[in-house]
Amino acid sequence: QTVVTQEPSLTVSPGGTVTLTCGSSTGPVTSGHYPYWFQQKPGQAPRILVYDISDKYSWTPARFSGSLLGGKAALTLSGAQPEDEADYYCLLSYSGARPWVFGGGTKLTVL
Amino acid sequence: QVQLVESGGGVVQSGGSLRLSCAASGFTFSSFGMHWVRQAPGKGLEWVTFIWYDGSNKYYADSVKGRFTISRDNSKNTVYLQMNSLRVEDTAMYYCAKDQGGFWGQGTLVTVSS
């Protein structure tokens, strides 16, 4: 059973920089996993921030960026704002009978 | 723009059935696979099922295999989730999602009571 791992929780100071990571139990995360990053605030549906490693939508704040780092997918937040406090989920795509696998989520605190 | 609107959620007793619908617009529905994803209260996201663009292949999470059925009607731009033999642990917000691009709906809540 494939497992996607994320840090359970991270804390960043306002204006600071933090990197969230997303690893796969099958080996290095590559472009073939088409990594997604979602942000979810309490009571809201998840909202896509980054797809295909580093592509962003018009609503994605410029302070968020995606990359591959050390065999994992990474989401870097540079210049954290209080409104960035949320849960962040990564999603990796796989071939076969279980095409999507979510990470367990990272609870990001801005403090 | 891409829009996905789920409906059909509600409260049902354990062992009961529900059928969820997801109406899609803003993209060529018949060209894309579709997923259902769920989130139990206070928990993380769980992939549930996926259907190919033409309905020819379907995949299910082990937790729902044999109880849930995904289907689609490309003439109506709609994907469905038939949920049978519902269990308390199926209680969750259910989201439909477009394969590729990360677009999701706002979800529909399914509550299974004992």
Side-chain angles (χ1 to χ4, degrees):
Chain A
Q1 182 91 324
T2 301
V3 176
V4 173
T5 54
Q6 297 182 246
E7 299 84 2
S9 63
L10 290 170
T11 300
V12 61
S13 300
T17 297
V18 64
T19 297
L20 290 65
T21 68
C22 175
S24 171
S25 63
T26 63
V29 175
T30 69
S31 59
H33 291 101
Y34 304 99
Y36 293 84
W37 289 95
F38 296 88
Q39 178 191 63
Q40 187 177 34
K41 296 182 179 180
Q44 297 182 16
R47 182 180 70 155
I48 181 76
L49 287 178
V50 169
Y51 66 101
D52 290 356
I53 302 176
S54 59
D55 290 340
K56 297 190 281 191
Y57 286 102
S58 58
W59 56 81
T60 305
R63 58 186 180 273
F64 288 97
S65 62
S67 64
L68 292 180
L69 195 63
K72 297 182 178 182
L75 179 71
T76 299
L77 170 58
S78 303
Q81 302 296 311
E83 60 264 32
D84 299 328
E85 190 162 290
D87 294 327
Y88 292 82
Y89 292 93
C90 73
L91 168 62
L92 300 180
S93 301
Y94 295 86
S95 59
R98 197 168 169 228
W100 275 8
V101 183
F102 289 94
T106 295
K107 184 175 186 62
L108 182 65
T109 301
V110 181
L111 190 61
Chain B
Q1 71 278 22
V2 174
Q3 194 168 12
L4 298 167
V5 179
E6 302 93 339
S7 61
V11 180
V12 62
Q13 283 199 324
S14 179
S17 298
L18 274 178
R19 187 197 199 202
L20 306 184
S21 299
C22 170
S25 60
F27 64 101
T28 306
F29 181 75
S30 59
S31 296
F32 290 91
M34 295 293 295
H35 301 260
W36 285 96
V37 174
R38 68 184 181 183
Q39 186 172 36
K43 301 295 185 182
L45 298 167
E46 179 189 15
W47 172 78
V48 175
T49 181
F50 172 66
I51 185 168
W52 277 26
Y53 68 101
D54 60 355
S56 61
N57 283 285
K58 307 171 185 180
Y59 304 97
Y60 299 91
D62 289 344
S63 57
V64 307
K65 202 172 293 183
R67 301 187 298 122
F68 289 13
T69 301
I70 189 172
S71 62
R72 65 189 296 157
D73 185 338
N74 285 346
S75 69
K76 295 182 178 179
N77 286 358
T78 300
V79 61
Y80 304 98
L81 183 63
Q82 178 67 43
M83 303 186 296
N84 298 332
S85 302
L86 282 162
R87 305 168 180 168
V88 171
E89 55 264 35
D90 294 318
T91 294
M93 186 71 80
Y94 284 74
Y95 300 97
C96 70
K98 172 182 172 288
D99 193 44
Q100 300 175 39
F103 293 99
W104 295 33
Q106 288 301 302
T108 187
L109 182 61
V110 172
T111 302
V112 184
S113 65
S114 56

